[in-house]
């Protein structure tokens, strides 16, 4: 396997840092920290370049908040500058290298893929196979082992300065485990970690009907016994190689429907997951009130409607659309 070196100049190049800044601020340009950074943009980017080139950069302390939708999770936050800009600058250079390691059926946080493409592939498999193995990992991101992660990364990256930066970010959470939800890098760290399983499933076991999105994955086959055997093998692999364990795992006929990436997949239809539908209904009813009370801006109102429409258009949701009156909501503040 080819290992990549000489990446540091590309990461710390002024043009890369400027583009990283632009990506990090996207959709958040109104925040005070970003407005303050912009006042002396060139000087601040030069200062950031010096921090990196002298080895003085260290990941800042995290702040955290708890969210409750779609489920309770702790989100860890780093400052916009320097940390979020640094993570974008790093990934602009290394993510194309890492992306080439991935199998075609790994769908999370990759250009040209995503949950809707994963849903389409799921429908293809449902029409080809009789049985499904569905599983997800218990507390996936908090369970990512820093030592194992760095071993995986070192197989592909040999640039010492780049590895030092990656390691500083990876080990910035104490205790030897955790890729904090909220870090831009965590999505890629998670993908690299689970790519170990992806490669074994695809190349060692030769499974065509395999789809993964983050820590959720499904396998399809016409032999139920084979899927049950694979389930036992995967459980051992996750424990021995990655120090992970299942949250849920089961083998069942596809005729009962496959709940995956927010949708319920049947041979003749794709339906929204009930919890997703309820969440959208609640949000649509609240939007006009929030707008009238200035809780959200008009742009945020329109963006929320567009986001909901994006979920709905990938499923059989004609009746739900009528119930939500989305077109009326759109016309009211066109």
């Amino acid at each position: 396997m080819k290992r990549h070196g000489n990446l540091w100049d590309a990461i710390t190049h002024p043009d890369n840092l400027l583009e990283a800044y632009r990506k990090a601020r996207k959709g958040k340009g109104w925040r005070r920290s970003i407005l303050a950074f912009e006042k002396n943009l060139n000087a601040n980017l030069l200062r950031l370049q010096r921090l990196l080139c002298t080895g003085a950069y260290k990941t800042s302390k995290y702040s955290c908040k708890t969210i409750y939708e779609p489920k309770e999770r702790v989100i860890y936050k780093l400052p916009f500058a320097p940390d979020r800009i640094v993570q974008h600058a790093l990934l602009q250079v290394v993510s194309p290298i890492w992306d080439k390691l991935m199998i075609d059926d790994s769908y999370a946080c990759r250009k040209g893929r995503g949950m809707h493409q994963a849903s389409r592939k799921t429908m293809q498999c449902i029409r080809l196979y009789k049985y499904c193995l569905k599983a997800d990992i218990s507390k996936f991101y908090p369970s990512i082992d820093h030592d194992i992660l760095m071993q995986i990364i070192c197989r592909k990256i040999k640039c010492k300065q780049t590895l030092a930066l990656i390691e500083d970010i990876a080990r910035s959470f104490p205790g030897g485990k955790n890729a904090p939800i909220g870090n831009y890098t965590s999505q890629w760290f998670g993908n690299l970690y689970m790519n170990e399983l992806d490669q074994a499933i695809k190349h060692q076991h030769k499974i065509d009907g395999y789809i993964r999105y983050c820590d959720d994955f499904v396998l399809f086959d016409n032999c139920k016994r084979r899927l049950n055997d694979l389930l036992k093998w995967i459980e051992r692999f996750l424990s021995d190689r990655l120090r992970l364990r299942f949250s849920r795992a089961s083998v069942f006929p596809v005729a009962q429907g496959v709940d995956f990436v927010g949708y319920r997949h049947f041979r003749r239809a794709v339906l929204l997951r009930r919890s997703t539908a309820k969440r959208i209904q609640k949000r649509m009813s609240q939007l006009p009130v929030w707008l009238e009370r200035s809780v959200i801006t008009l742009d945020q109102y329109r963006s929320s409607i567009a986001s909901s429409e994006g979920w709905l258009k990938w499923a059989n949701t004609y009746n739900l659309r009528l119930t939500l009156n989305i077109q009326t909501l759109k016309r009211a503040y066109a």
Side-chain angles (χ1 to χ4, degrees):
M1 179 184 291
K2 179 183 176 182
R3 297 177 70 218
H4 291 257
N6 302 318
L7 302 174
W8 193 242
D9 287 347
I11 291 169
T12 58
H13 193 281
D15 291 344
N16 189 56
L17 294 177
L18 178 60
E19 181 61 21
Y21 151 77
R22 288 171 176 160
K23 287 184 178 179
R25 79 179 292 279
K26 190 174 182 180
K28 309 179 187 76
W30 50 271
R31 292 184 178 175
R32 290 180 183 177
S33 59
I34 297 175
L35 293 172
F37 191 87
E38 285 178 342
K39 286 183 180 179
N40 296 291
L41 179 59
N42 291 333
N44 284 327
L45 288 176
L46 184 61
R47 190 177 299 113
L48 175 55
Q49 185 189 40
R50 273 196 229 103
L51 269 178
L52 290 167
C53 290
T54 59
Y57 171 78
K58 298 294 177 188
T59 303
S60 303
K61 289 185 177 180
Y62 291 95
S63 60
C64 63
K65 67 175 183 178
T66 303
I67 63 170
Y68 299 93
E69 292 289 346
K71 61 183 179 181
E72 185 174 340
R73 292 185 298 174
V74 178
I75 305 297
Y76 295 90
K77 299 171 66 177
L78 289 171
F80 170 76
D83 302 277
R84 291 186 176 274
I85 299 174
V86 167
Q87 291 191 13
H88 277 274
L90 169 67
L91 287 174
Q92 282 171 177
V93 175
V94 300
S95 64
I97 296 169
W98 290 343
D99 190 70
K100 291 176 182 177
L101 297 173
M102 307 291 168
I103 63 170
D104 289 342
D105 290 317
S106 168
Y107 286 91
C109 72
R110 297 177 66 199
K111 190 174 182 180
R113 289 174 173 80
M115 60 178 58
H116 300 309
Q117 285 70 27
S119 175
R120 291 177 67 181
K121 181 62 184 287
T122 302
M123 285 300 291
Q124 292 174 17
C125 290
I126 280 178
R127 290 164 180 154
L128 290 173
Y129 300 101
K130 294 180 181 178
Y131 298 99
C132 175
L133 186 168
K134 181 177 182 294
D136 57 51
I137 308 299
S138 175
K139 298 179 180 177
F140 173 59
Y141 286 103
S143 299
I144 290 178
D145 185 282
H146 298 161
D147 289 338
I148 296 173
L149 176 65
M150 288 308 302
Q151 289 169 15
I152 294 168
I153 290 171
C154 286
R155 286 191 222 136
K156 199 62 181 175
I157 304 291
K158 65 179 179 181
C159 174
K160 291 182 179 180
Q161 291 162 301
T162 302
L163 283 173
L165 176 59
I166 293 171
E167 187 157 18
D168 177 73
I169 296 169
R171 297 188 188 276
S172 60
F173 199 93
K177 289 187 175 184
N178 205 337
I181 298 172
N183 268 5
Y184 183 44
T185 51
S186 292
Q187 298 172 338
W188 276 101
F189 289 166
N191 252 354
L192 282 171
Y193 210 75
M194 289 298 288
N195 184 56
E196 299 293 293
L197 175 65
D198 297 347
Q199 297 296 332
I201 291 289
K202 282 289 189 179
H203 301 300
Q204 183 177 335
H205 291 279
K206 310 292 183 184
I207 301 295
D208 292 326
Y210 172 70
I211 307 162
R212 182 176 63 79
Y213 189 88
C214 294
D215 60 316
D216 295 347
F217 57 89
V218 286
L219 291 87
F220 295 88
D221 201 272
N222 286 318
C223 178
K224 187 176 182 180
R225 182 175 178 178
R226 188 184 185 201
L227 289 180
N228 277 311
D229 289 343
L230 272 169
L231 179 58
K232 294 173 185 175
W233 180 88
I234 292 169
E235 188 170 23
R236 289 195 303 271
F237 181 94
L238 291 174
S239 177
D240 296 344
R241 292 278 294 274
L242 300 176
R243 297 178 190 170
L244 299 174
R245 60 184 179 86
F246 287 135
S247 171
R248 291 181 296 265
S250 59
V251 175
F252 53 89
V254 299
Q256 73 181 51
V258 177
D259 190 332
F260 187 55
V261 292
Y263 297 95
R264 291 181 294 146
H265 302 83
F266 300 87
R267 281 193 169 131
R268 295 177 180 270
V270 180
L271 305 178
L272 270 184
R273 185 180 288 162
R274 289 187 181 90
S275 59
T276 305
K278 287 180 180 179
R279 193 161 61 249
I280 290 175
Q281 285 179 306
K282 182 179 179 181
R283 186 193 307 147
M284 291 299 100
S285 67
Q286 291 172 329
L287 280 179
V289 177
W290 288 345
L291 186 61
E292 292 296 330
R293 295 178 180 175
S294 299
V295 175
I296 58 173
T297 66
L298 183 57
D299 284 344
Q300 289 172 321
Y301 174 91
R302 291 168 176 161
S303 176
S304 189
I305 291 176
S307 173
S308 297
E309 283 189 303
W311 273 97
L312 294 168
K313 76 177 184 179
W314 290 90
N316 302 86
T317 55
Y318 177 77
N319 291 330
L320 180 58
R321 287 167 178 267
L322 293 179
T323 302
L324 293 174
N325 286 320
I326 284 185
Q327 293 306 317
T328 302
L329 290 171
K330 287 172 70 174
R331 286 194 297 269
Y333 297 95

